[in-house]
Amino acid sequence: MSTPPLPPPPLGVLGAGQLGRMLALAGAPMNLRLRLLDPSPLAPVAGLGELLTASYEDEAALARLAECPVVTYEFESVPVAAARRLAERTQVYPPPEALEVAQDRLLEKTRFQQLGIPTPAFQAVDSLAELEAAVSQLGLPAVLKTRRLGYDGKGQVVLQHASQCAAAFAALGGVPLLLEQFMPFQRELSLLAVRSTSGETRCYPLVDNQHEGGILRCSRAPASGLTPALEQQALGYAERLLGSLRYVGVLALELFDVQGTLYANEIAPRVHNSGHWTIEGARTSQFENHLRAVLGLPLGDTATLGPCAMLNAVGGLPGAAAVLAVPDAHLHDYAKAPRRGRKVGHVTVRAPDAATLDARLAQLEPLVPFQR
Amino acid sequence: MSTPPLPPPPLGVLGAGQLGRMLALAGAPMNLRLRLLDPSPLAPVAGLGELLTASYEDEAALARLAECPVVTYEFESVPVAAARRLAERTQVYPPPEALEVAQDRLLEKTRFQQLGIPTPAFQAVDSLAELEAAVSQLGLPAVLKTRRLGYDGKGQVVLQHASQCAAAFAALGGVPLLLEQFMPFQRELSLLAVRSTSGETRCYPLVDNQHEGGILRCSRAPASGLTPALEQQALGYAERLLGSLRYVGVLALELFDVQGTLYANEIAPRVHNSGHWTIEGARTSQFENHLRAVLGLPLGDTATLGPCAMLNAVGGLPGAAAVLAVPDAHLHDYAKAPRRGRKVGHVTVRAPDAATLDARLAQLEPLVPFQR
């Protein structure tokens, strides 16, 4: 008697970096198998899912992914064309349109404007003359950014004086650019929202993010000093965005807090680094909720389990014994080769109150590498 | 340039059933690789660890396990001889002596007595004449049990009348037996304790266990009506046992609550079904704490995250959508072929208070199969 062939996994994933790894780990207790496509043979999901090693445009690999009844993505720079080709053959969540909007700062900021979501004033810039015109219109300081493929602070230059235009254009030009008004923000917040196939929406509490050199160092949840007014602004933005994109899955919305008014900076149409704390810090993690959403299952509770923070390990990992000696600290190692500027793990820590959380973070900070 | 060979995994495991699977899942976020030995090629760890398929006495397989700097076990019926052979070559935690004591009810109950831990009166029985003598000494009702290899209520008979001796002996005899006084207990509790290589000990709160036909159906943590006196009894027993066995790892102690006095029933020298709730319900799961303990890492916090319960899925799995629609319910599927009487998964549910937990359990109970 021959064994019947195993059906394809219920979920395909474009990308198999640490986010794919954490999605696989969230699915494993439910015995949810994932088939993941990534160009790197070193993608850190080894054993946790079925890994296809091929380019995102490889027809045979896409055909294998399309065997899954649902496909999602964990990497926002996957070619939109690949997502659209998949969407002709299977269900792709979040919709490829979300990927398209998130990949282009002009589309993204235009969408914010259309939905009445405050965002820094901006202008598309394709020449030095256009840059100089935009500077005189928006004023200074301002930030010149590539429209596409910027991440971790790469692909942007802050302009303080009009005399810097030529150098900035020389540094970034040759690709479509965007000039943005510089926001004098007090802090950077993010909102993680999840929307189900039935349109049900849930949000995690606002997170306070501290970057160093453009790379996220620390997220704290809930952010301090939250007011109903602040939360209502963020929830309103998320609902408009999710509805407009007919979104299914987890969406991260990055925000600037400017004296109590929230300005949308960008979206990530996927699980997000500023939500890693949810693995230990929320009743349902962003990873489990993303899986639930795209598979048509009921969403899980997004409440926190108390004050929580996450520290990224960049360029190297901390020693396990030192980290685990801190009460309620948990270590994540992404199984990636360490190199400068690369996120290779994170540490989550919970505490009964904000002051204890501060003290535990102070213990952990010197232990957790941050080598940019 | 050739790639240097990967070092052996830091931890070997005898057994690769659902407990091995959950150990592997607890280690995966920390990138902790496990090498597991199990006679079944269908052991449900596929991909989550390096699986060796061989008998527990296979010399070559034991040699491969012994390459790991530490070896533990997840199945308490592994041959003590195999654990002892491994202990000559590598570090075995918990110590093989714990396995030996737990495998033999006579050694186990004798150990309780030696440590001053209340336990039902008992006598070894190897013939019908000895059984009749034991019955007249201990009185009735009493429970006749095999000394070895009983689990899930198998291998035991309750005696109500002396006239049942011959039938009971015929049913179980031929192997060494034990007669135990029947305890008129109000409830069955268990204590999960963990001890580190440095002798640090932590305990989870007492759990209330409900069995049906000898198989665990539901565990609730913390057990209702806990008093400091009750907890102190249990902690005292656990400390004596852990110390006497020079124990390292998680130990489960099953107890009868007889009007506020706790009687030790048995120990399991491993992670335990009555501790599965700790995955979502405690600050550190029993699985992560077992790994921390045997690897010489600091122990994690054993406090609960509020009232919590676990329902075993026996003989079949519930539908995911129905379970996940219950607030703060989480589904575990062990990736095992379902058959009557077999534990194939569990559901954990948390709640802000005991009454809400009752209501959520009432929703879940009809959904979660229990086919013995």
Side-chain angles (χ1 to χ4, degrees):
Chain A
M1 214 177 76
S2 67
T3 316
L6 213 58
L11 184 61
V13 185
L14 287 157
Q18 65 263 26
L19 301 177
R21 181 181 164 87
M22 287 184 270
L23 281 172
L25 285 172
M30 292 189 276
N31 193 24
L32 189 70
R33 291 172 306 125
L34 268 52
R35 179 177 287 174
L36 306 102
L37 170 61
D38 198 287
S40 169
L42 299 176
V45 294
L48 301 173
E50 183 190 325
L51 181 61
L52 309 176
T53 304
S55 99
Y56 292 121
E57 273 126 342
D58 184 287
E59 255 313 315
L62 291 177
R64 294 263 292 143
L65 262 198
E67 290 171 9
C68 302
V70 181
V71 171
T72 189
Y73 41 92
E74 61 90 78
F75 177 58
E76 78 201 60
S77 298
V78 292
V80 173
R84 291 211 186 277
R85 266 213 301 289
L86 284 167
E88 287 161 14
R89 286 179 273 180
T90 188
Q91 189 67 62
V92 176
Y93 288 136
E97 188 193 359
L99 199 57
E100 190 167 36
V101 168
Q103 282 182 3
D104 184 331
R105 294 184 196 280
L106 182 60
L107 297 185
E108 189 178 44
K109 293 214 140 51
T110 304
R111 180 68 62 120
F112 293 152
Q113 265 188 342
Q114 287 165 345
L115 296 172
I117 297 171
T119 192
F122 62 92
Q123 278 197 14
V125 162
D126 287 318
S127 66
L128 179 55
E130 282 179 14
L131 175 57
E132 287 167 341
V135 161
S136 58
Q137 196 163 349
L138 299 182
L140 288 177
V143 191
L144 185 64
K145 298 180 175 180
T146 57
R147 270 174 61 180
R148 302 175 62 85
L149 294 174
Y151 70 99
D152 283 355
K154 294 189 174 69
Q156 37 185 293
V157 173
V158 178
L159 292 174
Q160 303 282 358
H161 302 284
S163 64
Q164 296 171 308
C165 284
F169 189 79
L172 297 181
V175 295
L177 302 175
L178 194 79
L179 188 73
E180 275 179 36
Q181 176 191 14
F182 180 87
M183 299 304 294
F185 59 84
Q186 278 74 55
R187 55 180 179 169
E188 294 177 74
L189 301 176
S190 62
L191 183 73
L192 295 150
V194 58
R195 186 166 181 268
S196 74
T197 49
S198 66
E200 185 195 1
T201 296
R202 299 199 183 193
C203 293
Y204 293 91
L206 279 164
V207 179
D208 190 331
N209 300 311
Q210 285 158 37
H211 293 81
E212 289 178 25
I215 304 180
L216 182 64
R217 170 54 165 172
C218 181
S219 291
R220 266 183 90 125
S224 61
L226 289 186
T227 59
L230 212 58
E231 296 189 286
Q232 278 315 310
Q233 282 179 69
L235 295 186
Y237 302 172
E239 273 165 16
R240 276 176 261 171
L241 281 163
L242 293 167
S244 127
L245 293 165
R246 291 179 298 277
Y247 200 89
V248 174
V250 166
L251 175 97
L253 170 60
E254 295 186 33
L255 299 157
F256 296 131
D257 181 359
V258 185
Q259 304 193 314
T261 298
L262 298 180
Y263 289 77
N265 178 32
E266 59 182 58
I267 58 171
R270 52 166 171 82
V271 287
H272 191 256
N273 195 171
S274 69
H276 291 358
W277 63 272
T278 60
I279 297 175
E280 289 92 4
R283 295 208 169 265
T284 314
S285 79
Q286 66 166 343
F287 300 99
E288 183 173 338
N289 257 336
H290 186 74
L291 296 174
R292 290 190 187 203
V294 301
L295 294 172
L297 293 167
L299 299 182
D301 191 337
T302 50
T304 66
L305 296 164
C308 187
M310 182 227 54
L311 284 174
N312 267 338
V314 174
L317 284 165
V323 164
L324 300 181
V326 176
D328 219 355
H330 300 269
L331 175 63
H332 295 255
D333 171 350
Y334 304 154
K336 289 166 70 175
R339 67 165 183 256
R340 193 162 280 275
R342 191 179 214 198
K343 296 172 185 167
V344 292
H346 73 264
V347 172
T348 304
V349 61
R350 292 177 295 200
D353 53 66
T356 309
L357 189 63
D358 284 338
R360 290 179 182 175
L361 271 175
Q363 275 185 275
L364 286 167
E365 263 166 5
L367 302 175
V368 183
F370 195 77
Q371 294 155 1
R372 337 184 237 115
Chain B
M1 214 177 77
S2 67
T3 316
L6 213 59
L11 184 61
V13 185
L14 287 157
Q18 64 263 27
L19 301 177
R21 181 181 164 87
M22 287 185 270
L23 281 172
L25 285 172
M30 292 190 275
N31 193 24
L32 189 71
R33 291 172 305 125
L34 267 53
R35 178 177 287 173
L36 307 102
L37 169 61
D38 198 287
S40 169
L42 299 177
V45 293
L48 301 173
E50 182 190 326
L51 181 61
L52 309 176
T53 304
S55 99
Y56 292 121
E57 274 128 339
D58 183 287
E59 256 312 316
L62 291 178
R64 294 263 292 143
L65 262 198
E67 290 171 8
C68 301
V70 180
V71 171
T72 188
Y73 41 91
E74 61 89 79
F75 177 58
E76 77 200 62
S77 297
V78 292
V80 173
R84 291 210 186 277
R85 266 211 304 288
L86 284 167
E88 287 161 13
R89 286 180 272 179
T90 188
Q91 188 66 61
V92 176
Y93 288 135
E97 188 192 0
L99 198 59
E100 190 167 35
V101 168
Q103 282 181 3
D104 183 331
R105 295 183 195 281
L106 182 60
L107 296 185
E108 189 177 44
K109 292 216 142 48
T110 304
R111 179 69 61 118
F112 294 150
Q113 266 189 341
Q114 286 166 345
L115 296 173
I117 298 171
T119 192
F122 62 92
Q123 277 196 12
V125 161
D126 287 317
S127 66
L128 180 56
E130 284 180 12
L131 174 57
E132 287 167 341
V135 161
S136 58
Q137 197 163 348
L138 299 182
L140 287 177
V143 191
L144 185 64
K145 297 181 175 179
T146 57
R147 269 175 61 178
R148 302 175 62 85
L149 293 174
Y151 71 99
D152 283 353
K154 294 190 173 67
Q156 38 185 293
V157 173
V158 178
L159 292 174
Q160 303 282 357
H161 302 284
S163 64
Q164 296 171 309
C165 283
F169 190 79
L172 298 181
V175 294
L177 302 176
L178 194 79
L179 188 73
E180 276 178 35
Q181 175 191 13
F182 180 87
M183 300 304 295
F185 59 84
Q186 278 75 54
R187 55 180 179 170
E188 294 178 75
L189 301 176
S190 62
L191 183 73
L192 294 150
V194 57
R195 186 166 181 268
S196 74
T197 50
S198 66
E200 186 195 1
T201 297
R202 299 198 183 194
C203 292
Y204 293 91
L206 279 164
V207 179
D208 189 332
N209 300 309
Q210 285 159 39
H211 293 81
E212 289 177 26
I215 303 180
L216 182 64
R217 170 55 166 171
C218 181
S219 291
R220 265 182 91 123
S224 61
L226 289 185
T227 59
L230 213 57
E231 295 189 286
Q232 279 314 309
Q233 282 180 70
L235 295 186
Y237 302 173
E239 273 166 14
R240 275 175 262 170
L241 281 164
L242 292 167
S244 126
L245 293 165
R246 290 179 300 276
Y247 200 89
V248 173
V250 166
L251 175 98
L253 170 60
E254 295 186 33
L255 299 156
F256 296 131
D257 181 359
V258 185
Q259 305 192 314
T261 298
L262 298 179
Y263 289 76
N265 178 31
E266 60 182 57
I267 58 170
R270 53 166 172 82
V271 287
H272 192 255
N273 195 171
S274 69
H276 292 358
W277 63 272
T278 60
I279 296 175
E280 289 91 4
R283 296 207 168 266
T284 314
S285 80
Q286 66 165 344
F287 300 99
E288 182 174 338
N289 257 335
H290 185 74
L291 295 175
R292 290 190 187 204
V294 301
L295 294 172
L297 293 167
L299 300 182
D301 191 337
T302 50
T304 66
L305 296 164
C308 188
M310 182 228 54
L311 284 174
N312 267 337
V314 174
L317 284 165
V323 164
L324 300 181
V326 176
D328 219 354
H330 300 269
L331 175 63
H332 295 255
D333 170 351
Y334 305 154
K336 289 164 72 174
R339 67 165 183 256
R340 193 162 279 276
R342 191 179 213 200
K343 296 172 185 168
V344 293
H346 73 265
V347 172
T348 304
V349 62
R350 293 176 296 199
D353 53 66
T356 309
L357 188 64
D358 284 338
R360 291 180 182 175
L361 271 175
Q363 275 185 273
L364 286 166
E365 262 165 8
L367 302 175
V368 183
F370 195 77
Q371 294 155 0
R372 330 187 241 117

